[in-house]
Amino acid sequence: MSSPLPPAAALRRIAFLLERAREPTHRVSAFRTAAAVVDTLGPEELDRRIRTRTLTDLKGIGPKTGAAIVQAHAGEVPEYLARLEETHGELTPLADDVAEFRAALRGDLHVHSDWSDGGSPIREMAEAAIGLGHEYMALTDHSPRLTVANGLSPERLERQLDVVAQLNEELAPFRILTGIECDINLDGSLDQTEELLGRLDVVVASVHSDLRAESAAMTERMLRAVADPHTDVLGHCTGRLLIPREQREGRRQRPRPESTFDAEAVFTACVEHGTAVEINSRPERLDPPLRLLHLAVELGCEFAVDTDAHAPGQLDWQGNGCERAVEVGVPVDRVVNTWPAARLLAWTE
Ligand SMILES: [Zn+2]
Ligand SMILES: [Zn+2]
C-alpha cells in the first residue's frame, strides 16, 4: 500500500493489520475506537485539534493513535502503519493447492458483528469481506440464550433483518445473507422462534453449553439439531479450545478438550439431512480435529469453511481451514461456500 490514506482509514488499516498479526484485542480496538472518534469530528474540527495540539484531549485518542492521525492528516503514511505493512501487509503465502482451494471460496457462512459479541458494525465486516473478494457473507450473531455473548432476542433479530436489507441495497452486488449462530438447547431444539428461523438464509447450529455431557446425551442432542429442517451448518462440532482465548471484559477462557459424541452417527445424520459440517478456521478452535474431518469426508458430508470472525481482520483466517481441508482431501465441490449464492440459497431452503 503506497498511497497515503486519510486519518480514519489509516487507523482502521492499522487495526486490520494488528489483528492479522494476532495482537491482543485491546490494542486492536484502541485504533478502531480512535477511527470512530475521528469520524465524528468533521474536517474543520480535526484541523483545529491538530493545530492546537489538543487531539489527545479527546476520549479515545492516545499518544500512539494521535501520532498516526497527525501523520496521515499531513498526507504521510503513519510510521506505525508503515512498519506493520512491512511485516504483515502481504498475505502469508500459502502452498499452491491451499491457495487454489481458498480462491474457490466465494464467501463465509459464520460471521459475528457488534450486535452480539463481535467487535465491529455489520457494515465494517461486510466491507472487509468485499476487500477479500467475497461475494457474500452470512451474518450469524448469537441466539437469545447465549446472554454472555449478548445473543439477539427475536425482536433484535427482526430489527437486524431490516438493517441488513438496507445495507444490501447499498452494497450490491455483494450480499449479506441473513443468519444466526443458534444455540443447540440441551434437548437438541434450536434457541430461536420457528418463524424467524424459517425466514433466515443461513442457520448455523452450535453447542455452547454442557460441553462435558456424556457421549450418549451429547449424541442425541446433536442428532436432533442436525435433523432440524432449519439447520444448514453444524458449527464447531467438538467445542474444543486449543489455546486460551481472551473474551470481553478481559476474561480469559482456558483450553478445553473435545466434547464426546458418536461422530459417525452425527455425520451420517448430516449427510441424510443435508447439513454441512463446519470447518472452523479460528486458530483456537480448528474444529473438527483432523481424524474427525477424515471421517466426515469418508461418510460423504458437505462442508462449510468458515472463519467465525468476530472482527474484520479475522475474515482473513479461512486459510487455516483450507489447509486442513486440503490435508484430508475434502473435495472442493462439497464445500457449500464455493457455490454461487443462488445455488447456496437453493440448498439452504
Ligand atoms: Zn460458537
Ligand atoms: Zn460463532
Side-chain angles (χ1 to χ4, degrees):
M1 179 165 303
S2 52
S3 68
L5 297 166
L11 293 168
R12 290 203 171 90
R13 175 77 186 162
I14 290 173
F16 183 90
L17 293 175
L18 286 172
E19 256 160 19
R20 183 181 278 174
R22 312 218 170 131
E23 289 287 329
T25 321
H26 64 89
R27 200 171 304 167
V28 178
S29 49
F31 284 91
R32 223 165 244 129
T33 304
V37 173
V38 171
D39 281 342
T40 63
L41 284 184
E44 276 169 31
E45 177 63 3
L46 181 62
D47 268 344
R48 193 187 68 78
R49 289 274 175 187
I50 289 173
R51 246 186 310 110
T52 56
R53 298 175 191 264
T54 52
L55 213 43
T56 51
D57 294 349
L58 293 166
K59 190 162 177 270
I61 297 184
K64 251 192 202 159
T65 50
I69 293 168
V70 171
Q71 291 163 12
H73 187 259
E76 298 160 13
V77 177
E79 274 169 54
Y80 193 68
L81 176 55
R83 270 206 309 280
L84 280 170
E85 292 286 4
E86 226 167 77
T87 40
H88 300 288
E90 297 298 323
L91 288 174
T92 322
L94 296 172
D96 284 354
D97 43 357
V98 176
E100 198 178 310
F101 196 100
R102 183 184 174 140
L105 299 178
R106 293 172 189 258
D108 199 321
L109 300 187
H110 187 162
V111 172
H112 297 274
S113 74
D114 60 3
W115 282 61
S116 65
D117 61 346
S120 296
I122 302 168
R123 176 195 292 275
E124 280 183 29
M125 298 304 285
E127 283 170 352
I130 293 168
L132 288 171
H134 284 173
E135 296 168 22
Y136 53 80
M137 154 191 119
L139 178 64
T140 56
D141 277 312
H142 288 288
S143 64
R145 208 158 289 198
L146 210 59
T147 48
V148 288
N150 197 20
L152 272 61
S153 64
E155 296 71 30
R156 287 180 68 221
L157 182 54
E158 292 256 8
R159 257 189 289 135
Q160 187 180 66
L161 295 182
D162 293 338
V163 171
V164 168
Q166 181 75 45
L167 279 170
N168 273 337
E169 278 181 26
E170 289 176 48
L171 300 174
F174 182 80
R175 179 152 172 195
I176 303 171
L177 304 175
T178 59
I180 186 172
E181 181 181 14
C182 198
D183 257 45
I184 300 175
N185 295 324
L186 288 183
D187 66 357
S189 61
L190 298 183
D191 176 32
Q192 188 47 280
T193 66
E194 277 283 322
E195 195 266 330
L196 272 167
L197 289 173
R199 279 167 61 194
L200 298 172
D201 294 325
V202 176
V203 174
V204 177
S206 312
V207 170
H208 290 117
S209 60
D210 209 20
L211 291 155
R212 302 269 63 81
E214 268 180 57
S215 174
M218 184 60 94
T219 304
E220 280 311 304
R221 183 180 180 187
M222 293 173 77
L223 284 176
R224 180 167 172 204
V226 301
D228 190 299
H230 296 306
T231 303
D232 302 309
V233 177
L234 173 63
H236 50 68
C237 64
T238 78
R240 71 173 179 177
L241 285 182
L242 295 165
I243 45 178
R245 64 169 182 177
E246 278 186 70
Q247 285 194 304
R248 297 192 311 164
E249 285 135 26
R251 288 187 305 151
R252 269 163 81 83
Q253 236 175 348
R254 282 196 309 216
R256 62 177 176 237
E258 301 167 23
S259 298
T260 55
F261 58 94
D262 181 343
E264 185 163 346
V266 170
F267 293 156
T268 302
C270 284
V271 176
E272 262 167 44
H273 298 282
T275 296
V277 173
E278 177 180 76
I279 300 174
N280 189 297
S281 304
R282 293 192 66 80
E284 80 275 20
R285 287 198 183 274
L286 298 177
D287 206 355
L290 292 176
R291 68 169 208 293
L292 293 186
L293 199 49
H294 266 295
L295 178 66
V297 171
E298 261 170 45
L299 292 170
C301 289
E302 288 167 317
F303 299 90
V305 178
D306 293 337
T307 60
D308 197 353
H310 286 66
Q314 298 177 1
L315 286 166
D316 205 28
W317 285 350
Q318 271 176 331
N320 299 341
C322 290
E323 254 169 37
R324 301 163 64 74
V326 167
E327 192 173 338
V328 305
V330 171
V332 78
D333 193 54
R334 272 206 247 151
V335 177
V336 299
N337 52 325
T338 64
W339 301 347
R343 180 176 173 197
L344 177 72
L345 290 171
W347 171 80
T348 62
E349 262 185 36

